[in-house]
Each structure stands twice: as structure tokens, then as C-alpha cells.
Amino acid sequence: EDLVIDVLIPQGNKASESTVQKIQEGFGKAGVKIDIVQAEWASFLERKYDRDFDGINMATVLSGLESDPKDTWHSETGAFDLRSSNTSGLQDPECDRLIDAIRIELDEQKRVPLWHALHRRLAELQPYLFLNCPPRKYAFNRKLHGVKMYQIVPGFKLRDLYYAEGTPGTRPVSN
């Protein structure tokens, strides 16, 4: 029996269309047929929240280095009758345990290994097929201190950035 996977994309989104065409080409070599299903935006969202798709092309943009993973990966948001950001419907006790621990651990030295364990578990389960992270280029004024780049969007933390005291346009440091 032939394996045919319908992949839902937003209508008119050339980036999604191009991405799924590449997937279609690669899967085709393995004998898997990918049908591209385009839906106008409102219908796309309805089908996404109803989990009415075999595959769906979406972009993930995190709001910060440690965005709360609960809405996307916790069992509480994964029930199939619940419309949530847990698009894959993931329900996994180990992910739940790690997410719950991350959300209450204040010590960064203890929290980072929990994040790594969650990422390993998600890679194991693969509820999403993460395809790519396009490169970004930034320009910073040479007088700006504290520039440190991160691999997660936007790629830097505003709180790290500062100008030396006395730089024109900055406020004096209060004592």
C-alpha cells in the first residue's frame, strides 16, 4: 500500500510551498508521496488547532532564551479535544516532569541541565521535524559593550548590552 502524507501549508506562502516541495522531492525518493494541501489563513488555523492534518508546515519563533515550554509540550495542553499550542498533541510523562521542574527551578546551574534533558527527550520523541534555522546577520555599534550572541532568536539579550558610563546620550550611573 502506498504511503501518502497530506502536508498542510498556508495558501500563498511561497516559503512554506518551497520547503514542502523539497520534502516532497526527498520523501519521493523513498517511495513516500507528499501531497501539498493549501488552505487560506483562517482555515489553516482552524485545521491546526483541530489537529486536522497529517503534516503541517509552521515556523517556531521563541520569545526568549527560556520561553515557557508548557503550552507547547506539556500533556495538560496535549489532549486531542483541547485547542492549544501543543500542535502535535504530545503527551509524555517525562516531558511533563522536566517542564514542571524547569518552571520552578530558580538556580540557573540546576535549570540548564533540565532544559538539556527536555531537549534530548523531544529529539527522541520527535513530535516535530525541525528542519532549519536560517542564518541571521546583525550589526552593533563598536561602542556597545556586552554583545554576546545566542543561537536562539533574536540572537542576543538586550539586558546584556550597555554603553560605557559617560558615553554621549547615556544617563549617569546613580550612586
Side-chain angles (χ1 to χ4, degrees):
E1 189 174 320
D2 292 338
L3 177 58
V4 180
I5 301 171
D6 290 341
V7 177
L8 182 64
I9 67 170
Q11 188 173 25
N13 186 316
K14 296 299 179 195
S16 281
E17 189 173 356
S18 174
T19 297
V20 176
Q21 285 171 345
K22 291 288 186 197
I23 293 169
Q24 192 177 47
E25 182 183 316
F27 276 45
K29 291 175 184 174
V32 177
K33 187 174 189 304
I34 300 291
D35 284 338
I36 299 172
V37 178
Q38 296 193 29
E40 59 85 25
W41 188 245
S43 297
F44 176 85
L45 290 177
E46 283 299 310
R47 291 189 63 183
K48 172 191 169 226
Y49 285 119
D50 289 341
R51 296 187 185 101
D52 179 22
F53 54 83
D54 296 332
I56 187 169
N57 182 250
M58 300 185 313
T60 299
V61 179
L62 302 175
S63 59
L65 289 174
E66 291 192 66
S67 297
D68 188 354
K70 186 167 186 173
D71 196 44
T72 307
W73 304 117
H74 202 281
S75 294
E76 287 179 15
T77 61
F80 285 98
D81 60 342
L82 181 65
R83 294 166 61 100
S84 74
S85 294
N86 188 339
T87 308
S88 66
L90 179 69
Q91 298 178 53
D92 179 67
E94 179 63 7
C95 284
D96 297 346
R97 183 189 70 73
L98 291 164
I99 290 167
D100 293 342
I102 287 166
R103 296 180 88 218
I104 62 170
E105 182 55 66
L106 299 178
D107 183 340
E108 185 176 11
Q109 299 297 331
K110 294 178 182 175
R111 194 174 59 254
V112 168
L114 294 169
W115 274 106
H116 291 171
L118 176 62
H119 293 161
R120 277 191 303 276
R121 182 67 180 152
L122 290 171
E124 237 174 66
L125 297 171
Q126 201 173 3
Y128 284 7
L129 175 59
F130 294 99
L131 293 175
N132 65 350
C133 186
R136 298 186 186 296
K137 294 182 181 180
Y138 298 94
F140 294 96
N141 185 314
R142 290 178 195 257
K143 296 177 183 175
L144 193 60
H145 297 275
V147 175
K148 180 178 176 187
M149 302 309 295
Y150 299 93
Q151 297 231 353
I152 221 162
V153 174
F156 57 90
K157 288 185 193 176
L158 284 176
R159 290 182 177 186
D160 290 346
L161 308 178
Y162 66 95
Y163 287 101
E165 186 174 0
T167 301
T170 62
R171 290 177 274 180
V173 176
S174 57
N175 293 335

